[in-house]
Amino acid sequence: MATVRTANTVWNGDLPAGNGVVSFVSSKRDDADVTWAARSQEANGKTSPEELIAAAHATCFSMALSAGLSKAGNAPERIETTADVTFDPSAGGITAIALTVRGTVPGISAEDFNEAAAEAKADCPVSKALAGVDNISLDASLA
C-alpha cells in the first residue's frame, strides 16, 4: 500500500534576505525556520533542504540495513547512522553525501556487516532517489 507524506514551505522575500518556514504536515512536528544563510553558511538554529535530506537518508538507510540484517538472520541490537550532505552553491548544489554507520549486531563478521551495509546503501529508496549525487560514500563498522 502506498503512502503519501506531506511537507509545506512558505518563503517570504528574495533569496539572500528572505526567510521561510517548513511545516511537517503529515507528522505535525514543530515547524522549522529556513534561510539562505542557514543553508549556505552557518545553521544558527535553522534547517536547510540538505539537513532534511540528511535526516531522510540516515533514517532510510538504517531501516534498510536493519531489514537486510534481520532477513539474513542477524537481527541488529542497534544501528546508528549519520549522513553528512555537502552543499556547494558554486559547484551546482549537493556534491557529496557521506554515510557513517556503526552497528551492534551479535554473531556477524565485520565483512558480512560491510556487505549488508553496501546492499542497504544500494537498495534504500532514498539512496535511489538521490542517484543524481555522484559521490555517495559509506563508512561501515561494527561498534
Side-chain angles (χ1 to χ4, degrees):
M1 179 170 142
T3 60
V4 175
R5 299 294 181 258
T6 305
N8 177 38
T9 298
V10 175
W11 186 265
N12 299 297
D14 66 1
L15 182 60
N19 60 73
V21 176
V22 179
S23 298
F24 301 95
V25 178
S26 300
S27 63
K28 297 179 176 46
R29 306 287 304 176
D30 290 342
D31 291 351
D33 295 327
V34 63
T35 64
W36 174 250
R39 185 177 190 189
S40 61
Q41 298 165 31
E42 292 298 318
N44 292 321
K46 297 175 178 62
T47 195
S48 68
E50 291 71 29
E51 182 178 38
L52 298 171
I53 288 169
H57 205 178
T59 302
C60 183
F61 173 84
S62 293
M63 295 170 99
L65 181 54
S66 177
L69 289 166
S70 296
K71 185 177 179 183
N74 295 300
E77 288 179 3
R78 179 180 168 90
I79 301 291
E80 182 176 343
T81 305
T82 300
D84 295 308
V85 175
T86 301
F87 174 69
D88 184 349
S90 65
I94 296 173
T95 58
I97 300 172
L99 294 171
T100 302
V101 61
R102 300 295 176 255
T104 304
V105 187
I108 194 169
S109 69
E111 183 179 337
D112 287 345
F113 181 76
N114 284 325
E115 184 178 315
E119 289 174 12
K121 177 180 168 265
D123 294 339
C124 160
V126 172
S127 290
K128 290 178 180 180
L130 296 170
V133 179
D134 292 332
N135 183 15
I136 300 178
S137 65
L138 173 63
D139 172 11
S141 66
L142 293 169

